[in-house]
Amino acid sequence: MSAAIRVVALSGGIGGAKLALGLYRTLSPDWLTVVCNTGDDFEHLGLSISPDLDTVLYTLAGIANPETGWGRANETWTFMRALEQLGGEAWFRLGDADLATHVERTRRLAAGESLSAISDDFRTRLAVHARLVPMCDEPVRTMVHSSDGVLPFQRYFVERRCAPKVSGFEFRGAGEASLTPALCAALESESLEAVVICPSNPFISIDPILAVPGMRAAITACRAPVVAVAPIIGGRALKGPTAKMMAELGLPTSACAVAEHYGSLLDGFVLDTADAAEAEAIEVPCLATRTLMLSEDDKRTLAAEVLAFARRIGRTTR
């Protein structure tokens, strides 16, 4: 792994990808490593699908669908229409261009390549200079404990549109997973300046990453400050079901509750100015700023502020 590594970001899908893009466009492109959640991965229609990994890939490559945040821009849907005509499972939408990613990934996994190697090749072919690192190469599957029973994550999230009440989560296979060499090298790098936890859902996007054995220890041991950005503004989620999940789990829907969830892992915490008063109850240094990323300038500005904050606070004794 090159000594050029300066920032490691932990990210889920759409929300995390926005800050990842801001970091990518603020830093020298090869100074960023994005660790992507693969707990959302699943097998569908015989294909190996990695939703969060692909969302970050497409976003950094500049080919993400600007309206949805997921999938590819200028997508066509011939495959899905034909599948529906045949009575196939059409609840998870796969565009024609996006389908090529899943077909090629599935072929190469079956041939014995690792998810890390395939992902690295994909980002190179799409001219992404940042490194995209899956949280592990072994399959880990997020299972949602809900009022409708234990559901595979995509069944809960996409098919049932997050309607069932949540009571907990498990990450099947995490105990058998291990850190990849690329991920270890990134966290052990002497040139590492910051670890940024993007504003992704703490429970279903970041916790699966942290569930990989050795991940928490490697982050704790790294030389750089660890800073998280809250995915909550004024009691509402920036994207997705974060606030709904927190309420159903009996937690306050607040930025402070997110900081408490990460606990001693953090050296600093970034929250929106709307929640600035909550900083007094948070045990690590806080930065209150605008965290809503509506434009490209918003993403770059927040990324620059997060990096400046990380440099300012440095690493505490964790």
Side-chain angles (χ1 to χ4, degrees), residues 230-238 253 255 272-275 290-293:
I232 294 288
I233 297 177
R236 300 180 63 182
L238 293 174
T253 54
D272 195 82
T273 50
D275 303 310
R290 175 186 165 89
T291 59
L292 185 63
M293 293 175 283

Side-chain angles (χ1 to χ4, degrees), residues 17-152:
K18 289 182 178 182
L19 183 56
L21 180 61
L23 292 167
Y24 184 53
R25 292 182 173 171
T26 300
L27 296 161
S28 177
D30 62 346
W31 285 7
L32 176 65
T33 296
V34 184
V35 182
C36 298
N37 168 44
T38 57
D40 290 8
D41 290 15
F42 74 128
E43 289 68 44
H44 184 58
L45 303 176
L47 301 174
S48 296
I49 300 175
S50 298
D52 285 1
L53 191 57
D54 292 342
T55 293
V56 175
L57 172 65
Y58 295 158
T59 299
L60 298 193
I63 59 173
N65 186 323
E67 296 179 359
T68 62
W70 56 268
R72 295 186 60 152
N74 305 311
E75 189 61 275
T76 55
W77 303 93
T78 303
F79 168 77
M80 290 306 304
R81 287 194 293 269
L83 183 65
E84 288 174 317
Q85 285 182 329
L86 297 173
E89 285 195 83
W91 59 271
F92 192 89
R93 309 292 289 176
L94 297 171
D96 299 331
D98 186 37
L99 189 63
T101 301
H102 310 310
V103 169
E104 181 62 3
R105 177 188 294 116
T106 303
R107 182 190 71 80
R108 293 172 66 167
L109 286 170
E113 290 189 61
S114 69
L115 182 60
S116 293
I118 297 166
S119 301
D120 193 58
D121 185 56
F122 282 1
R123 65 97 181 171
T124 300
R125 291 177 182 276
L126 292 179
V128 174
H129 298 285
R131 294 171 178 83
L132 300 186
V133 182
M135 67 190 202
C136 58
D137 283 326
E138 298 83 2
V140 175
R141 299 295 179 256
T142 297
M143 307 297 291
V144 181
H145 290 246
S146 77
S147 54
D148 287 355
V150 180
L151 300 172

Side-chain angles (χ1 to χ4, degrees), residues 273-294:
T273 50
D275 303 310
E278 295 184 28
E280 294 183 5
I282 297 173
E283 295 184 357
V284 295
C286 291
L287 169 68
T289 188
R290 175 186 165 89
T291 59
L292 185 63
M293 293 175 283
L294 298 178

Side-chain angles (χ1 to χ4, degrees), residues 204-228:
I204 56 174
S205 294
I206 303 301
D207 278 359
I209 299 174
L210 298 177
V212 176
M215 186 72 74
R216 281 183 177 271
I219 293 173
T220 300
C222 79
R223 67 184 302 275
V226 179
V227 174

Side-chain angles (χ1 to χ4, degrees), residues 238-264:
L238 293 174
K239 189 73 178 177
T242 304
K244 176 180 181 291
M245 288 178 172
M246 293 177 78
E248 291 169 354
L249 293 170
L251 299 171
T253 54
S254 66
C256 183
V258 175
E260 290 177 354
H261 181 75
Y262 291 132
S264 61

